[in-house]
């Protein structure tokens, strides 16, 4: 590397000599233009006393030679200074034109080792310094653990798709069977109600005949034309048939309510069937979306692991 400063004392001396020569040259130039003043003691004494008009200064016959000699001296000194100064670099801001390559770490950390000294030649690819890699190692292990977890969640989510498909098919089949059963139940309840109504009609007919028998046998029993026991049997039969009518009417009402219940069950079964048909594609789409989300999380974890490993490699500069 070239030296950047000349010896200060030598340069300052040369500068002072050049400055003095320049001042002398300027003074001689002014004397040539305006005339040289008296240099003897008498002229200075007369000038100090201020007596009389000052005399016209006499031209010095060697003035031209003095000026020429001074110019030659200045030129020689300048040449000497230039020849001496070109061997050294002189600057006020201590900067040198050169190719500078900055070195900086891409990650923050504590420097643990430096393998070169200042101004030492470094080849491309050589390790200059090491940073403490422990934080980066921990980050790599954490990223690797997160990647493993994300991959495991993805694998755990994938079987849910076929399971959901089978579950949806089973649910649809079950609800369809429930609808068929409910429809059969409604039909059975309808038949039961119709049978109950028929029994009511039959019981009412029998009851009407029994009541007519009672009305026909009562006068005969009062006249003792028929045995009293026979009349009592007719009355008892009429009462039994009247109770049968009431019982059959109650059964018919229950059968009618059973029809309403069966119809409600049929409506509920149909709703479950429709919901199963509507929800099956949505549930399957949700499973696919969960798999996509898990896969995206695994990709993000993979990118974090790559970044952590890259940061670990940056610990070697």
């Amino acid at each position: 590397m070239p030296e950047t400063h000349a010896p200060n004392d030598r340069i300052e001396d040369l500068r002072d000599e050049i400055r003095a020569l320049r001042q002398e040259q300027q003074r001689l130039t002014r004397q040539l233009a305006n005339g040289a003043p008296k240099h003897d003691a008498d002229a200075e004494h007369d000038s100090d006393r201020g007596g009389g008009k000052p005399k016209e200064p006499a031209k010095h016959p060697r003035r031209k030679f003095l000026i020429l000699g001074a110019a030659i001296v200045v030129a020689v000194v300048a040449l000497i200074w230039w020849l001496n100064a070109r061997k050294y670099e002189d600057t006020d801001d201590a900067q040198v034109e050169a190719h500078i390559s900055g070195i900086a770490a891409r990650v923050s950390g504590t420097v643990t080792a430096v393998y070169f000294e200042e101004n030492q030649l470094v080849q491309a690819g050589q390790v200059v310094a090491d940073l403490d890699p422990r934080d980066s190692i921990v980050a790599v292990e954490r990223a690797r653990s997160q990647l493993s977890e994300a991959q495991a969640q993805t694998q755990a989510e994938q079987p849910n798709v076929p399971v959901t498909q089978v579950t949806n098919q089973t649910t649809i089949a079950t609800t369809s069977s429930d609808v068929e059963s409910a429809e059969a139940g409604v039909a059975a309840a309808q038949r039961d109600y119709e049978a109950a109504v028929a029994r009511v009609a039959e019981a009412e007919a029998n009851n009407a005949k029994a009541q007519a028998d009672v009305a026909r046998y009562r006068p005969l029993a009062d006249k003792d034309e028929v045995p009293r026991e026979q009349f009592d049997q007719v009355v008892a039969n009429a009462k039994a048939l009247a109770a049968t009518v009431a019982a059959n009417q109650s059964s018919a009402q229950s059968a009618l309510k059973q029809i309403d219940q069966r119809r409600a069950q049929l409506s509920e079964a149909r709703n479950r069937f429709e919901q199963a048909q509507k929800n099956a594609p949505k549930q399957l789409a949700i499973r696919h979306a969960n798999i996509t989300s898990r896969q995206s999380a695994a990709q993000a974890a993979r990118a974090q692991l790559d970044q952590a490993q890259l940061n670990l490699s940056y610990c070697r500069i």
Side-chain angles (χ1 to χ4, degrees):
M1 181 176 180
E3 298 182 4
T4 57
H5 295 282
N8 294 331
D9 296 339
R10 187 172 183 181
I11 293 175
E12 291 298 330
D13 292 341
L14 292 174
R15 288 178 178 174
D16 293 339
E17 291 178 3
I18 292 172
R19 194 180 300 111
L21 291 173
R22 287 179 179 174
Q23 292 176 357
E24 181 65 23
Q25 184 180 5
Q26 293 174 359
R27 185 179 64 80
L28 293 175
T29 303
R30 288 195 299 271
Q31 288 179 358
L32 289 175
N34 300 326
K38 294 181 180 180
H39 292 282
D40 55 351
D42 294 338
E44 292 179 359
H45 182 69
D46 293 339
S47 177
D48 292 338
R49 288 184 301 177
K53 185 177 181 180
K55 295 181 180 180
E56 187 71 18
K59 294 183 178 180
H60 201 288
R62 294 182 297 175
R63 184 173 300 140
K64 294 182 179 180
F65 296 102
L66 292 176
I67 295 173
L68 181 59
I72 293 173
V73 171
V74 171
V76 172
V77 172
L79 178 61
I80 294 174
W81 177 83
W82 177 77
L83 293 174
N84 183 69
R86 68 176 184 173
K87 300 179 182 179
Y88 304 98
E89 294 288 344
D90 186 13
T91 178
D92 294 333
D93 55 3
Q95 293 183 357
V96 179
E97 183 178 358
H99 296 287
I100 299 176
S101 298
I103 297 177
R106 300 188 63 175
V107 293
S108 60
T110 303
V111 178
T112 57
V114 177
Y115 301 104
F116 288 90
E117 299 292 337
E118 186 177 0
N119 297 325
Q120 185 177 352
L121 181 62
V122 179
Q123 300 296 332
Q126 288 184 302
V127 179
V128 177
D130 283 338
L131 301 180
D132 189 356
R134 289 178 294 179
D135 293 338
S136 299
I137 292 174
V138 172
V140 169
E141 295 299 329
R142 181 169 59 250
R144 184 176 288 111
S145 175
Q146 292 175 352
L147 175 60
S148 299
E149 181 180 0
Q151 290 175 342
Q153 291 176 352
T154 301
Q155 293 177 355
E157 191 68 30
Q158 288 177 349
N160 290 333
V161 173
V163 170
T164 302
Q165 289 177 340
V166 174
T167 302
N168 290 337
Q169 292 174 356
T170 302
T171 302
I172 292 174
T174 301
T175 53
S176 178
S177 177
D178 292 342
V179 171
E180 294 176 357
S181 298
E183 289 175 347
V186 171
Q190 186 70 34
R191 289 192 299 270
D192 292 342
Y193 174 70
E194 292 174 356
V197 170
R199 286 194 297 272
V200 169
E202 182 182 2
E204 286 178 347
N206 293 331
N207 182 49
K209 181 181 180 299
Q211 296 301 328
D213 290 342
V214 171
R216 188 174 61 253
Y217 275 90
R218 188 180 296 278
L220 297 175
D222 292 338
K223 295 177 181 180
D224 293 331
E225 291 181 357
V226 294
R228 191 73 183 177
E229 291 82 3
Q230 186 177 357
F231 175 72
D232 293 338
Q233 185 178 1
V234 170
V235 172
N237 186 38
K239 291 181 179 179
L241 291 175
T244 301
V245 170
N248 289 339
Q249 289 177 344
S250 178
S251 298
Q253 292 296 326
S254 298
L256 182 62
K257 292 181 180 179
Q258 189 69 23
I259 291 175
D260 294 336
Q261 292 177 356
R262 295 295 184 181
R263 288 176 177 173
Q265 292 175 356
L266 175 60
S267 177
E268 184 179 357
R270 286 176 176 173
N271 290 333
R272 289 198 302 268
F273 177 69
E274 292 176 356
Q275 289 178 357
Q277 287 182 324
K278 292 180 180 179
N279 293 334
K282 295 180 181 179
Q283 292 176 352
L284 193 60
I286 290 173
R287 294 303 184 186
H288 284 295
N290 290 338
I291 291 177
T292 303
S293 177
R294 297 299 185 185
Q295 290 175 346
S296 299
Q299 292 176 357
R302 167 64 67 183
Q304 291 179 354
L305 177 59
D306 293 340
Q307 183 63 53
Q309 290 176 340
L310 190 61
N311 292 337
L312 179 61
S313 67
Y314 291 154
C315 290
R316 295 184 65 84
I317 305 172

